[in-house]
């Protein structure tokens, strides 16, 4: 073989699935053995169970390290990978993939540069900052509104009756394909929360500008149109069903920006 994946895989989760999808090569499983931090990993499955699961996914699992001779090895860029390469594969060509799978020692003590906001515009920055607060691992969305008096409020998508509902009780959206039955969700979208909060506070939304990190879904597009929003700025996303037509027919100006000033 010319290439092979070498990795410590204690459980099969989305991070590993994506890593393996990027590297469709035979897999050699690392056992932690004397690597003390991972000997305490109570989540870890027996390597034989992981190997059986990988084979069920259609992946070839290599059990004899001698079969890796001459192959270029691809490993997650984490402590145990470097230890294993140094100990067992010092003569191999090695490629590391900087995928995040766990807080290993290197990541724990690494000094990180603070991530700058995507834009210096106050409205866009408020929405982008708010998006990072969402606990929705699959779709972190932020929105901000600039009222006629120039004040800004922001919100993010959140679930009810509590933020962790989709994780503790299951996410209803997982039963449907993207764009199907959008109304069947435990989530309150960022735009809807903004409009509801403004209504509760008695604040007029007529003529306001809204920035969203993702293009509004059809129900949110109708809310924004009905609220009299004059301008919608979005960074990314797609229009589903009649969302764009509803906004345009209501006279809403639609502008897409790519991290530039939202004006």
């Amino acid at each position: 073989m010319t290439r092979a994946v070498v990795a410590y895989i204690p459980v099969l989760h989305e991070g590993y699935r994506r890593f393996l999808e990027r590297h469709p090569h035979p897999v050699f499983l690392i056992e932690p053995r004397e690597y003390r931090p991972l000997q305490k990993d109570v989540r870890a499955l027996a390597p034989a169970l992981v190997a059986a699961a990988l084979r069920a996914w259609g992946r070839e699992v290599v059990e004899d390290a001698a079969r890796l001779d001459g192959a270029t090895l691809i490993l997650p860029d984490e402590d145990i990978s470097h230890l294993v390469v140094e100990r067992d594969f010092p003569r191999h060509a090695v490629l590391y993939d900087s995928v995040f799978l766990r807080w290993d020692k290197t990541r724990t003590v690494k000094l990180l540069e603070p991530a700058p906001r995507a834009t210096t515009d106050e409205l866009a920055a408020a929405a982008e900052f708010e998006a990072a607060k969402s606990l929705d691992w699959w779709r972190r969305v932020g929105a901000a509104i600039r009222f006629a008096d120039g004040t800004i409020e922001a919100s993010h998508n959140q679930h009810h009756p509590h933020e962790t509902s989709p994780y503790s009780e299951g996410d209803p959206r997982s039963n449907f394909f993207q764009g199907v039955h959008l109304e069947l969700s435990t989530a309150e979208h960022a735009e809807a929360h903004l409009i509801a909060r403004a209504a509760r506070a008695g604040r007029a939304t007529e003529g306001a500008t809204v920035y969203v990190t993702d293009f509004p879904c059809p129900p949110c597009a109708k809310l924004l149109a009905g609220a009299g929003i004059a301008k919608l700025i979005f960074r990314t996303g797609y229009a589903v069903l009649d969302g764009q037509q509803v906004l345009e027919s209501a006279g809403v100006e639609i502008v897409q920006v790519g991290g530039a000033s939202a004006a």
Side-chain angles (χ1 to χ4, degrees):
M1 68 185 68
T2 58
R3 291 196 170 196
V5 169
V6 176
Y8 171 62
I9 303 180
V11 293
L12 292 175
H13 59 56
E14 182 65 8
Y16 285 108
R17 188 196 68 78
R18 293 184 182 185
F19 170 73
L20 293 170
E21 186 178 65
R22 286 198 300 276
H23 307 292
H25 311 294
V27 180
F28 179 82
L29 296 172
I30 294 174
E31 295 187 43
R33 291 188 286 180
E34 75 277 8
Y35 188 66
R36 189 170 180 273
L38 295 181
Q39 290 176 359
K40 300 178 180 180
D41 193 347
V42 296
R43 305 166 302 167
L45 296 170
L49 291 176
V50 177
L54 292 179
R55 290 188 178 105
W57 283 5
R59 299 301 297 265
E60 179 184 353
V61 178
V62 178
E63 296 183 348
D64 183 2
R67 288 191 57 201
L68 302 179
D69 287 349
T72 296
L73 307 183
I74 302 170
L75 302 92
D77 189 7
E78 55 179 358
D79 292 351
I80 189 169
S81 298
H82 290 272
L83 182 147
V84 166
V85 166
E86 182 179 353
R87 183 189 65 202
D88 299 333
F89 305 108
R91 297 174 181 267
H92 283 70
V94 174
L95 299 174
Y96 290 104
D97 185 348
S98 58
V99 60
F100 177 80
L101 298 172
R102 67 183 59 78
W103 282 105
D104 61 1
K105 184 177 180 181
T106 299
R107 285 190 176 88
T108 302
V109 300
K110 187 175 182 180
L111 300 177
L112 302 174
E113 289 288 337
R117 293 181 179 178
T119 174
T120 56
D121 177 83
E122 189 177 1
L123 182 68
E128 297 287 350
F129 181 75
E130 193 73 22
K133 297 180 182 179
S134 175
L135 296 185
D136 194 330
W137 187 80
W138 291 99
R139 198 160 192 266
R140 307 178 86 182
V141 178
I145 183 170
R146 180 184 286 124
F147 295 99
D149 62 2
T151 58
I152 292 174
E153 289 192 13
S155 185
H156 59 271
N157 60 320
Q158 49 201 285
H159 289 266
H160 296 283
H162 53 82
E163 283 266 44
T164 59
S165 289
Y167 309 114
S168 61
E169 299 156 16
D171 187 354
R173 293 298 309 144
S174 63
N175 295 304
F176 304 100
F177 290 106
Q178 190 176 41
V180 178
H181 283 302
L182 296 171
E183 75 283 1
L184 299 179
S185 172
T186 61
E188 179 182 22
H189 290 186
E191 308 95 307
H193 188 221
L194 278 180
I195 299 303
R197 200 163 66 192
R200 185 171 183 174
R203 302 202 66 180
T205 53
E206 184 77 30
T209 295
V210 168
Y211 178 100
V212 290
T213 57
D214 291 67
F215 195 87
C217 68
C220 285
K222 293 176 177 66
L223 274 176
L224 295 174
I229 301 302
K231 185 176 183 179
L232 172 73
I233 304 166
F234 74 100
R235 173 167 54 79
T236 188
Y238 50 85
V240 177
L241 197 64
D242 59 355
Q244 182 174 353
Q245 292 90 331
V246 166
L247 290 165
E248 290 176 340
S249 66
V252 179
E253 179 185 359
I254 302 174
V255 178
Q256 182 174 16
V257 296
S261 174

